Amino acid sequence: MSENSKAIPGIHHVTAISGPPQENVDFYAGFLGLRFVKRTVNFDDPGTYHLYYGDYHGRPGSIMTFFPWSHAPRGRAGAGMVGATSFAVAPEDVDEWVGHFADAGHDFGGPTERFGERVLGFYDTDGLRLEIVGRPTQEGRAVGDAASAISAFYGVTLVLADPDATARFLTDVFGYVSKGEEAGRLRFESPAAGRASVIDIVRATDRGRTGVGTVHHVAFRASNDQEQLKWREAVASFGLHVTEVKDRNYFRSIYFREPGGVLFEIATDPPGFTADEPLDELGSSLKLPPWLELQRSRIEGSLEPLVIPAVRAAQP
């Protein structure tokens, strides 16, 4: 068995908590130029939106999702949480992004160099830490201007008090490969992922607080239901408690907390976001799973209307 076949194929999606949904849409679909892929609801709290953004096709590895809990308190990233979510752009696009931030008057830091790559750091309107990293990809440069050049995640940074057990989990269970340490930052990468492949770990002892502006969980990819069950067995064999499979309509999910306390998910690639609307209409209307359709009128009445910017995401 090859090294690649033993590794999980990178990140499927990242889910965070936001404030007002329209501000969230304006930032991610407007300012960052991601495609608004899906408007649905939190299946466990159907009076709340669940908003999805990604590349034009809504492919795993590009999907950023949000629970907009407008009245929730502001959170703070700390030990046992995700400290930053990073997007990949072509290296030659980094300077265009500098200009985009400057023209919009949006604060940013950098570019700085990390593991030989240029990094811009910034926050969204709710204080969620984000990064843009210049990295060559197998998919080539995205079509369009700098604001539509994001085609996938780069990875995430985990903040942990003691990274040793998490590092063992990433390498021994998920098949990630250690890429060394730089300035106290440990790097791991999935050899099976062409996108969304990097997990960094930084050390910190201060505990954070879940709330608006923090990541709720990180989801990793399983190519199908059978592969997901194999990963479930592997995670359980490591001694971690894993949930039963949950139907999320666009994928099926299992959840567990990795040894450092971060909530992880493993989500299937199928059926995908075209399961209930065609590609060219993604995100155009509120979609509900079958078990919530009878409550549509009540649910729609509880959600504020959204104005979605025109599609600007790259169309590879």
Side-chain angles (χ1 to χ4, degrees):
M1 183 181 291
S2 70
E3 181 181 63
N4 286 10
S5 66
K6 294 186 292 184
I8 205 160
I11 293 170
H12 184 284
H13 67 268
V14 176
T15 294
I17 302 168
S18 81
Q22 186 62 59
E23 292 180 10
N24 186 259
V25 168
D26 291 343
F27 185 83
Y28 285 90
F31 181 71
L32 288 187
L34 298 173
R35 185 175 188 187
F36 187 68
V37 170
K38 191 69 63 179
R39 75 176 86 191
T40 183
V41 294
N42 183 333
F43 294 171
D44 301 316
D45 179 16
T48 303
Y49 276 120
H50 193 177
L51 306 178
Y52 291 73
Y53 308 88
D55 69 6
Y56 184 81
H57 294 274
R59 290 176 295 182
S62 74
I63 301 297
M64 186 87 187
T65 95
F66 288 90
F67 300 136
W69 288 326
S70 300
H71 302 295
R74 180 64 64 93
R76 177 176 53 83
M81 301 176 71
V82 174
T85 302
S86 305
F87 297 101
V89 301
E92 60 268 28
D93 283 344
V94 172
D95 288 334
E96 293 185 41
W97 274 98
V98 170
H100 182 58
F101 280 102
D103 291 345
H106 193 93
D107 290 341
F108 66 97
T112 58
E113 188 168 301
R114 182 191 299 159
F115 287 94
E117 296 166 328
R118 299 172 77 204
V119 180
L120 293 176
F122 60 104
Y123 295 89
D124 76 359
T125 49
D126 293 307
L128 183 70
R129 176 69 175 180
L130 303 169
E131 295 176 336
I132 287 175
V133 183
R135 161 169 279 204
T137 70
Q138 297 173 348
E139 299 164 0
R141 184 171 178 167
V143 177
D145 61 17
S148 61
I150 292 172
S151 61
F153 287 120
Y154 178 86
V156 295
T157 298
L158 309 182
V159 181
L160 304 175
D162 181 0
D164 291 348
T166 299
R168 287 197 305 274
F169 175 82
L170 290 175
T171 56
D172 296 355
V173 179
F174 273 7
Y176 275 70
V177 176
S178 173
K179 295 295 184 178
E181 181 174 354
E182 181 178 294
R185 175 181 293 265
L186 304 173
R187 171 150 296 182
F188 301 86
E189 189 163 356
S190 170
R195 56 205 269 132
S197 61
V198 174
I199 304 291
D200 283 354
I201 299 176
V202 297
R203 295 177 176 87
T205 55
D206 292 342
R207 301 296 298 183
R209 181 178 63 252
T210 299
V212 171
T214 63
V215 168
H216 186 270
H217 64 266
V218 180
F220 295 83
R221 295 176 62 184
S223 57
N224 53 46
D225 295 319
Q226 292 72 30
E227 288 298 316
Q228 184 184 64
L229 292 177
K230 291 179 182 177
W231 287 116
R232 186 180 188 279
E233 182 179 351
V235 172
S237 296
F238 192 78
L240 301 177
H241 173 73
V242 194
T243 68
E244 297 299 320
V245 176
K246 299 179 182 293
D247 185 359
R248 299 309 191 193
N249 219 33
Y250 310 109
F251 43 85
R252 285 166 291 279
S253 303
I254 56 176
Y255 300 87
F256 61 96
R257 290 200 180 273
E258 56 81 30
V262 181
L263 182 60
F264 278 5
E265 172 185 351
I266 300 177
T268 58
D269 284 356
F273 297 106
T274 56
D276 58 3
E277 57 188 342
L279 177 63
D280 60 356
E281 296 179 13
L282 289 179
S284 60
S285 61
L286 179 68
K287 294 300 179 181
L288 299 175
W291 60 90
L292 289 177
E293 274 296 344
L294 291 177
Q295 303 177 49
R296 175 174 286 274
S297 295
R298 182 183 63 79
I299 291 171
E300 287 181 332
S302 69
L303 300 171
E304 67 177 77
L306 296 177
V307 178
I308 310 302
V311 174
R312 298 167 59 207
Q315 302 183 37

